[in-house]
Amino acid sequence: MKAEKRTFWKDVLDDLKMSRRSFMKRASAATGGAIALGGAFTPSFRTLAEASEVSGKGVGSWIASTCQGCTSWCSKQIYVVNGRAVKVRGNPSSKVNVGAGCPRSHLALQQVYDPDRIKTPMKRTNPGKGRNEDPKFVPISWDEALDTIADKIMELRNNNETHKYMLMRGRYSYMRDILYDRMTKIIGSPNNISHSSICAEAEKFGPYYTEGYWNYRQYDVMNARYVLIWGADPLAANRQVSYYSAVWGDVIGRAKIAVVEPRLSATAAKADEWLPIEPGHDGALAAAVAHTILVEGLWYKEFVGDFSDGQNRFVPGAEVDPETFEEKHTNGVVRWWNLALRDKTVEWAAERTGLPAEQIRRVALEYGNAAPHAISWVGGGPVMQVRGGYTSMICHALNGLVGACDNVGGSLVSNKEYTTEFPEPDEFMDEIAKVGKKHEKIDQRGRKEFPCINEGKPGSAVITNNAADGILNDDPYDIKVAIAYMNNFTFSCGQPERWERALSKIPFLVHITTNASEFSWFSDILLPDVHHMFEKWGYVKSIGNGYRHVTLMQPAIKPMWESKIDETEIPWLIAEKLKERGFDNLLRHYKIYIDPETGKEPNNAQEFALYSLKYATQNLWDPAKYKGGDKFNGWEDLLKAGVWNSDPYPFRKRWSNMKTKTKKFEFYSETLKEALEKHAEKHNTTVDDILETCFYQARGELAFVPHYEEPFTNGDQSEYPFLFVDHKSRLNREGRSANCPWYYDFKDVDPGDAAWDDVAKINPVDAESMGIRTGDPIRLTSPTGSITCTAKLWEGVRPGTVAKCYGQGHWVYGRLASKDFGKVPRGGNNNDLIPAVYDRLSGSTVRHAATRVKIERV
């Protein structure tokens, strides 16, 4: 590995000898060279200019932009010298990430100048598709690529098959609806499939069915006195990593931190309590914490209420009369106790979680005594499980019990912001489009077995990974034309080989991407995408620190090679080609995205990219449209700052004014009850039947309260003795770091990991019984697949589990990402082990407590 590392850096040093002029000359010749993506693939163009040109001889400038290396979406500034990005820092104008940054933003410099980026449109010349089929891509012009795409779309329209068009979205900006929504609807398809459910939809389930908020939360850590973290790692891989990393030193000086996680995460390493729980039993621990708080009388009475005579009737095992309790801002606390908590003692929880009863009791008492400044922070770990929706509810319900919901030092929702939705597409949808859009979606959401209940509406939540099965089985129909961008489902979804087979079935597939990924391997046309941080017009929204910011992306450098903007320029160019073929509806729609400053309509793709951004953000920069937050004197003023900040968070404003059916925080969820009954009625059955079909244990009234459900795990323990623990790196830029040398150089910043290796962390007690030592090559096998990697003995992982960081295992993507491009992966992809199963109430993909594995030396 060291020799390989030296060879790579020799290539980089050779790159540095090239002048900018010769670099640009060779880059501009990209369209004329034969670039193939098969086994003989060798990147032909270098991207690093002569070092003297970025050494500071000229005066550079800081240009505002945004990092999308994770879902923190931090506002950034890029230092540009002579047209080249050389440095990144946090934007001090942001009140969300407060000028802070994390390692991911710096890795972006290696991404934008990656010599393995796609440089020009390319087409497949091998009609055969499969993992072992060399696509034999060759360069083509943008015109040829766009003509081909437009022809394929028109074929669908001419045959009244527009529903067989599909748009797949990965990471996005809030320009997304131009391509994802408006273009898909005007063409006439229901199939705009986002990545959301492979990310964290189950995290949103608990907050919505308790307090009516379907989104990610922010946490007032600076005013908290206790922070109880469930399967999240805010210092490495949760939302607002930059902000929390910047203030965590102050937080641990003011509050106690407890982390529930089977491995010693970066956050757990700095906590007061580490609770290395048996994976999948977080709900049992949360139930015991709630039980203890009620028995000890520690609930926050100003929010929850109290017994009318002041006498605590929450006695272990005893049923309580709801009429004796007077609730204030909550609904059903006594019914919750009677249905799900009264027998959930710390001793009961200890048997299931593998944690000492005395530790459970200590944490419960300290958390309760810190009320209302006591956060229950719910991450993906406990909820991205087959029965994770209810775990999401019970872990989040603790915020209601201690009065932390919407309170100082507690769990907060989003602040108001004032961006403008893009124009509706309805008047541009002809009869063909209207008929096409009425078809069932390819991911099968809304069927009896897939309730996917987003914001109380059955069938409204995406179930991304199941789209592969829909395509494979032509159920409800076959997909003939698909466009995808900023995604790699063939790597990032559980059982990715299903996507390999599914994509091989699609007759015409377009991938808009920076690098040739596993998804690209099965595509017919590749379109070179810009890098979001350096080359794109766009904006995103994020929350943290009691604020919301809207942070801009702008081209800090000229786009490399022939790359174009995925969400604006490319759909405009497709619309122009469709107009040439007699279908001008899409272009006419885009023409109404006028520049608010000049009143001009866009006449080309570049103008459309800029005008649509100005259109969406006008309320933030136009003084005449001011509604709140930062005030600017025009577009250029906002563009220079790069970020708009909301007004401060209005604490307690939502108490008894929540978007639940009762308007209160629901321990007994009338909101969930109504949604489940609606889904059952649609399918002429009962709620109990729906829950049984979807593998949940609850029956009757238990279905409507937060409660513990046993984990549903793939694999028999006798054959697969270890529970697999998947976790994320503080270096993963949405899985796109794998071709960056810094990713490997600094991989050991993740606790237990090693530089320039892909390790599975095994407790020494387990390793000794198998005769395995650190450095041994091993194979992990689950019922759905196997991977090879390196053993690392580490006390920071619970015995009986094996933990491995997600991110490596690419067999394409670039010269570093794979060992042999198109053939041999570097390390192992965790998703090869994880089955394609779901939390069916939310639609969330399952990643945790999903499978057992066996370990073998190789």
Side-chain angles (χ1 to χ4, degrees), residues 170-356:
R171 178 54 54 222
Y172 59 89
S173 79
Y174 280 89
M175 311 300 287
R176 62 190 179 187
D177 284 345
I178 292 171
L179 173 61
Y180 173 72
D181 183 87
R182 305 314 195 253
M183 178 171 153
T184 307
K185 287 178 178 175
I186 291 171
I187 288 171
S189 174
N191 290 312
N192 47 354
I193 305 297
S194 80
H195 78 293
S196 299
S197 71
I198 66 171
C199 188
E201 288 302 272
E203 279 188 43
K204 304 171 186 175
F205 188 88
Y208 185 79
Y209 292 105
T210 52
E211 61 170 300
Y213 176 70
W214 186 278
N215 213 322
Y216 303 116
R217 283 76 55 218
Q218 56 178 320
Y219 300 98
D220 186 19
V221 294
M222 294 299 285
N223 293 304
R225 295 298 172 264
Y226 204 99
V227 183
L228 177 56
I229 301 175
W230 304 86
D233 194 0
L235 299 185
N238 204 263
R239 287 160 187 84
Q240 280 315 319
V241 173
S242 297
Y243 168 68
Y244 294 122
S245 296
V247 302
W248 210 250
D250 291 330
V251 174
I252 61 178
R254 301 177 183 184
K256 276 205 166 185
I257 313 293
V259 176
V260 183
E261 175 79 59
R263 68 176 182 97
L264 188 68
S265 65
T267 306
K270 298 180 181 297
D272 298 280
E273 297 264 7
W274 173 38
L275 294 89
I277 195 167
E278 179 86 6
H281 294 278
D282 305 73
L285 177 58
V289 171
H291 173 97
T292 303
I293 288 171
L294 290 170
V295 168
E296 299 296 331
L298 298 177
W299 71 89
Y300 190 59
K301 297 173 178 62
E302 186 178 342
F303 183 70
V304 180
D306 199 0
F307 290 97
S308 54
D309 60 3
Q311 179 183 347
N312 186 2
R313 291 175 173 78
F314 293 125
V315 176
E319 187 166 338
V320 176
D321 181 359
E323 295 299 320
T324 63
F325 197 97
E326 297 179 357
E327 287 188 85
K328 290 186 176 180
H329 303 288
T330 65
N331 178 71
V333 66
V334 173
R335 296 175 80 178
W336 184 29
W337 166 267
N338 289 337
L339 287 165
L341 297 179
R342 58 179 175 161
D343 57 349
K344 302 303 186 289
T345 64
V346 295
E347 292 77 16
W348 169 88
E351 293 177 3
R352 287 154 180 80
T353 62
L355 299 171

Side-chain angles (χ1 to χ4, degrees), residues 642-698:
V643 62
W644 170 91
N645 299 285
S646 71
D647 293 318
Y649 194 85
F651 294 105
R652 299 192 178 196
K653 188 174 180 179
R654 296 173 59 251
W655 284 15
S656 288
N657 190 32
M658 295 179 176
K659 293 182 179 180
T660 57
K661 190 173 181 182
T662 63
K663 304 295 183 184
K664 298 177 183 294
F665 191 100
E666 295 186 343
F667 296 120
Y668 182 93
S669 181
E670 297 286 357
T671 307
L672 179 58
K673 182 178 182 179
E674 182 179 63
L676 285 172
E677 288 178 344
K678 190 183 301 183
H679 186 68
E681 183 181 352
K682 175 184 175 182
H683 295 284
N684 300 310
T685 187
T686 63
V687 170
D688 282 357
D689 182 42
I690 294 296
L691 293 173
E692 183 178 5
T693 300
C694 297
F695 307 108
Y696 300 99
Q697 295 176 308

Side-chain angles (χ1 to χ4, degrees), residues 37 370 421 611 700 749 775:
L37 289 179
E421 295 288 331
Y611 294 178
V749 301

